[in-house]
Amino acid sequence: MNMFCYQCEQTAKGEGCEKIGVCGKQPDVAALQDLLVHALQGLGIVAHEGRKVGVKRADADAFVCEALFSTLTNVDFDPERFKPLIEQAVKYREEVRSEVKAAGGAAEFDAPETNFEPAPSLDGMIRQGEEHGLLNDKETDTDKRSLKHTLLFGLKGISAYADHARILGQTDDSIYAFLHESMAALARTDLSLEDWLSLVLRCGEANLKTMEILDKANTGAYGDPVPTEVPLGPKKGKAILISGHDLKDLEDLLKQTEGKGINIYTHGEMLPTHGYPKLKAYPHFYGHYGTAWQNQHKEFSAFPGAILMTTNCLMRPQEKYRDNLFTTGLVGWPEIKHVKNGDFGPVVEKALEMPGFTEDVQDKTVMVGFGHNAVMSVADKVIDLVKSKKIRHFFLVAGCDGAKPGRNYYTEFVEKVPKDCVVMTLACGKFRFFDKDLGDIEGLPRLLDIGQCNDSYSAIQIAVALSKAFGVGVNELPLSMILSWYEQKAVAILLTLLYLGIQDIRLGPSLPAFTSPNVLQVLVDKFNIKPITTPDEDLKAILG
């Protein structure tokens, strides 16, 4: 059984995974994910038509985000969990179709996606999925297909961010409308190259709105992040490690472990959560353990407590820690214990059974909490430092980390940034340099951790605020973006930057396999996007 997937940066040979995913995804899961996307296209066609006659379904809107999020890299590897998702997509399609028909809208379509019926068995669905993979796309034009798949992967990123926001009570109907419209468009073959490019840039616009409501959701629930010192060494006592991105899961875990003698540690992209006032108020929310997602095999194996995996970034669990690993939400791996509905009792019980840390370990600390509110609270000082030439340049060195060779570029780049420059960072790419002491410029840290990839809106807001303060466009600021990408949320963020007209982005460690040469040339001509070279060459090109 073969597969084809090239949605992440680590795809085999830089071309596509054909036998098994580099991420650990098996061909059966790949086929089921492709079939789920096919089913969501049918739902999208009907839901998009429904909106023309006032038919909207909040439950179907939320479902689309959850379902697409499940197909993101390193989220759900359990084939059994895709069968109900596919069936539910068809169920929603038919329910919405009935409502559309009752409202006087079009309810019958030529598109086969709208009449698709899933096989009754999982094996049958897998066989169906093999017929709807990326290589079976009805669009045969290479450049159109490239843009079409770019759109699909961007939609997956939007869905992840929108799901996070919805969990904390923030939604925006325009985002759901765009998701349905775009899923419907993916089933078409009559769109021009210009149509696809327009949809791709609109995807960036929709993601900007999504990140805006996610920022509102996070700060509304937990306060604006504040600069916070986070210990990297463990504390004696029982322990739970939480990884992923989900703030609500962290809050629930903190509540359910109060008074139980368990210290809570973050891993990976959960590090920035230490800066939220309402989360850091819990005295047993102690420190950070480990680095980025791709190091979890080594780091999880050495952790002496329970481990909770939220959202994405799960890797194939090692035998040494399978018994103390739990997944929750949309994350899944066959035979790994899954905790539903925010009830982390089993996680707590396992932590109490395990030895925990036997002694305090003194180690470095790192600073987090430099979101847009924190940075702009000292905007006057920043502006003065720029005007007095004490700050020459800002670098946003941000994005995903990964195991593929070439990512040491980002460590070396930050190490070589001149001392009169400031480095802003976000997402897990920062773990290449997050614990380095870059010093400060008159009290302003030279390394500013803005947060998770989910906090990319903060970086945009900082750039916009600075551009207004200096009375110039963002592209005229002494600011350069040095980005690393890995999965589909990074694709959505990149599309947002392109929608905003950001020029001269340097992207690495390699360019997306789904970008055709002609599409890449369009991006070069229109946005001057370029691949990273070497730190010395890129710094010289930027700073002169």
Side-chain angles (χ1 to χ4, degrees), residues 43-80:
L43 172 56
I45 292 170
V46 177
H48 180 53
E49 187 64 33
R51 285 173 174 267
K52 297 177 184 178
V53 291
V55 174
K56 299 178 184 179
R57 285 279 299 268
D59 51 355
D61 293 341
F63 170 78
V64 169
C65 291
E66 290 181 346
L68 273 178
F69 194 173
S70 297
T71 70
L72 224 74
T73 301
N74 293 91
V75 176
D76 195 349
F77 298 84
D78 188 348
E80 297 291 341

Side-chain angles (χ1 to χ4, degrees), residues 34-183:
D34 290 338
L35 188 64
L36 178 56
V37 169
H38 179 71
L40 291 172
Q41 289 175 9
L43 172 56
I45 292 170
V46 177
H48 180 53
E49 187 64 33
R51 285 173 174 267
K52 297 177 184 178
V53 291
V55 174
K56 299 178 184 179
R57 285 279 299 268
D59 51 355
D61 293 341
F63 170 78
V64 169
C65 291
E66 290 181 346
L68 273 178
F69 194 173
S70 297
T71 70
L72 224 74
T73 301
N74 293 91
V75 176
D76 195 349
F77 298 84
D78 188 348
E80 297 291 341
R81 295 178 56 178
F82 284 96
K83 185 174 186 290
L85 288 173
I86 293 165
E87 291 169 341
Q88 185 62 59
V90 173
K91 184 173 184 289
Y92 274 130
R93 185 193 73 200
E94 292 309 303
E95 289 175 358
V96 174
R97 190 200 301 266
S98 295
E99 293 180 28
V100 172
K101 186 175 182 180
E108 301 301 327
F109 307 90
D110 293 331
E113 291 84 353
T114 61
N115 300 307
F116 157 72
E117 290 295 334
S121 69
L122 186 64
D123 287 342
M125 285 187 182
I126 292 169
R127 288 191 292 272
Q128 286 179 317
E130 291 175 325
E131 300 173 4
H132 297 290
L134 295 172
L135 292 183
N136 301 104
D137 201 303
K138 293 179 288 186
E139 179 56 71
T140 57
D141 182 277
T142 301
D143 299 324
K144 290 182 183 179
R145 179 184 287 192
S146 174
L147 288 171
K148 182 176 180 179
H149 292 174
T150 301
L151 174 64
L152 172 60
F153 302 148
L155 295 175
K156 292 186 178 190
I158 288 176
S159 296
Y161 292 137
D163 188 61
H164 281 298
R166 181 191 58 79
I167 287 170
L168 291 176
Q170 292 293 327
T171 60
D172 187 293
D173 188 62
S174 68
I175 297 166
Y176 299 128
F178 180 75
L179 285 171
H180 291 308
E181 178 189 354
S182 298
M183 292 306 293

Side-chain angles (χ1 to χ4, degrees), residues 293-339:
W293 65 271
Q294 79 277 3
N295 300 319
Q296 64 190 254
H297 285 162
K298 177 181 178 181
E299 293 167 356
F300 287 6
S301 293
F303 189 76
I307 303 165
L308 178 64
M309 200 76 205
T310 76
T311 65
N312 54 321
C313 299
L314 176 66
M315 296 175 69
R316 177 192 292 274
Q318 299 293 293
E319 192 63 37
K320 187 172 182 179
Y321 59 84
R322 288 177 73 96
D323 187 52
N324 55 304
L325 176 68
F326 298 80
T327 60
T328 193
L330 300 176
V331 189
W333 191 280
E335 300 178 358
I336 293 296
K337 296 177 290 293
H338 189 77
V339 184

